Amino acid sequence: MNSQSDLNEFRNTFNEILCAICPDHETHELAEVYSWIRESILYNVPHGKFSRGLTVVSTYRAIVEQQGKTPTCDEIKLASALGWSLEFLHSAYLITDDMMDQSITRRNKPCWYKVEHVGLRSCNDAKVLEQEVYHIIEIFFHDKPCYGKLNDLLHEAARYIVFGQCMDMTSNPTGKRPKFKLFTDHRYASIAKYKTSLYSFVLPVRIGTYTMYMSSYDSPDAHKMAEEMLIKIGHLYQLQDDYFDCFGDPDITGKIGRDIQEGKSSWPIVTAFKLCDQDQRETLEKHYCIDEDTSVAIVKDIFTKLSIKELYLKEETEYYKNLCKSINDLKLKNQLLANICKQFLDMIYKRKN
């Protein structure tokens, strides 16, 4: 999806961003603050798959090349900076999400709040990373026509993330048993849309079209078509994440799953409630959201009896086939957006982490 040269420029741009955010001034009154922020950024930001950030670059390149042009190095740097703003936003979200879920590991190392000298300071660190999203946009785009629109889009994305998180938490209120009546397909789709799809799939493509010289793709109809498709792809991504949390190998996923212990309205439990008999449902409601190995084992045993693993493999394949058909239909209206959506879909299909 991305050339090696784009990846190299992407990594180089990160170093430039880091120097701009945390200047090396030992005598500055904020020197100690800059040092701490640098440590937080280096621990949390540049270690993921960069799927969101690199999609901004590939989207930008695809649109420019379709116009018969070749992006300059400076233009790829701007697209990379925009991509890093999404990676910073994603990292800020992961820090707070890990705290709320009491997660243990992230990307094969302790969650930031679990680091001994960090603890609850991570609350402020998450806020710092979110603020740096808009700082990055200011540094690279303050004199560009798209500056205001980019700011609006990123603020909108930040709002939707917390809306999705709020919806997730209200299904499982603190100090109470989960609201199992809310564990439905419709509710699950809404959580996936706001918590994952809009900022992880729709946003990278939208802002990739708002950078320099992209006015010809500033079309509400085009964005609407792409958004509908990308939300569906994001739903598949969330389904995969939920499966990995329950059944994945932590050595591969980089994270120890806790959805069962935390009582999350995730795909395995939503699917189980549709298939189980009354006795199984009563057992699930009794043991789901209990942070004990015995209860987790009981829940997973029912999942096994209901063939949740096998159903996931079937559902992933069927979902992929249906999305491919929809993308082929989209090609008749906008081949470029269809190609971008297909690249996204192929990037996540059959993924392992």
Side-chain angles (χ1 to χ4, degrees), residues 87-318:
E87 295 295 332
F88 272 70
L89 182 63
H90 180 56
S91 297
Y93 159 68
L94 291 181
I95 290 174
T96 56
D97 190 59
D98 286 341
M99 284 189 289
M100 287 184 285
D101 292 349
Q102 299 181 48
S103 297
I104 299 169
T105 58
R106 169 74 65 180
R107 296 169 178 166
N108 291 310
K109 59 184 180 180
C111 297
W112 181 236
Y113 83 100
K114 283 287 189 180
V115 176
E116 185 175 356
H117 66 286
V118 179
L120 292 180
R121 292 179 67 173
S122 57
C123 295
N124 191 65
D125 296 333
K127 193 66 179 175
V128 169
L129 291 186
E130 184 180 342
Q131 292 304 307
E132 291 304 332
V133 170
Y134 311 110
H135 187 194
I136 293 169
I137 298 302
E138 180 186 3
I139 292 170
F140 289 89
F141 291 90
H142 69 278
D143 58 346
K144 304 293 188 296
C146 59
Y147 177 56
K149 187 167 288 187
L150 291 174
N151 259 311
D152 290 345
L153 275 173
L154 287 164
H155 277 101
E156 180 183 82
R159 281 176 52 237
Y160 284 147
I161 292 172
V162 295
F163 288 170
Q165 187 69 31
C166 183
M167 189 181 299
D168 194 13
M169 291 187 296
T170 53
S171 300
N172 181 24
T174 303
K176 299 180 181 180
R177 296 295 294 152
K179 297 180 180 179
F180 290 117
K181 65 179 181 180
L182 297 178
F183 284 33
T184 64
D185 283 339
H186 177 73
R187 177 82 169 192
Y188 178 75
S190 296
I191 293 173
K193 174 182 177 180
Y194 287 101
K195 190 177 177 181
T196 300
S197 297
L198 287 175
Y199 95 96
S200 295
F201 292 87
V202 177
L203 183 64
V205 174
R206 287 187 69 186
I207 66 175
T209 66
Y210 281 154
T211 48
M212 302 172 55
Y213 310 120
M214 291 300 101
S215 58
S216 62
Y217 269 83
D218 190 4
S219 163
D221 290 340
H223 283 299
K224 183 64 176 176
M225 287 188 290
E227 180 174 315
E228 291 174 355
M229 192 65 59
L230 291 164
I231 285 175
K232 293 177 182 178
I233 295 173
H235 184 95
L236 174 59
Y237 188 88
Q238 185 62 59
L239 185 155
Q240 294 170 324
D241 265 3
D242 292 349
Y243 174 83
F244 297 149
D245 188 278
C246 185
F247 300 109
D249 181 349
D251 290 336
I252 297 176
T253 64
K255 180 181 179 183
I256 298 174
R258 285 185 54 84
D259 281 358
I260 293 175
Q261 295 92 321
E262 295 299 318
K264 293 289 185 178
S265 178
S266 65
W267 181 83
I269 188 66
V270 170
T271 303
F273 278 154
K274 292 189 297 183
L275 301 173
C276 66
D277 59 30
Q278 186 59 37
D279 287 342
Q280 288 172 323
R281 183 172 184 110
E282 289 176 0
T283 301
L284 286 171
E285 291 191 3
K286 178 180 179 181
H287 291 279
Y288 201 75
C289 196
I290 300 296
D291 194 358
E292 295 177 0
D293 291 344
T294 300
S295 289
V296 172
I298 290 172
V299 170
K300 287 189 174 183
D301 180 61
I302 293 179
F303 286 173
T304 298
K305 290 176 179 176
L306 295 174
S307 301
I308 298 298
K309 280 187 178 182
E310 292 76 11
L311 286 169
Y312 163 78
L313 296 174
K314 181 180 178 181
E315 176 120 347
E316 184 188 33
T317 300
E318 288 299 313

Side-chain angles (χ1 to χ4, degrees), residues 333-350:
K333 301 176 181 178
N334 192 309
Q335 183 163 355
L336 176 62
L337 289 176
N339 289 342
I340 291 171
C341 290
K342 185 61 163 61
Q343 287 178 330
F344 242 142
L345 179 60
D346 288 341
M347 181 176 66
I348 69 167
Y349 182 53
K350 296 295 183 181

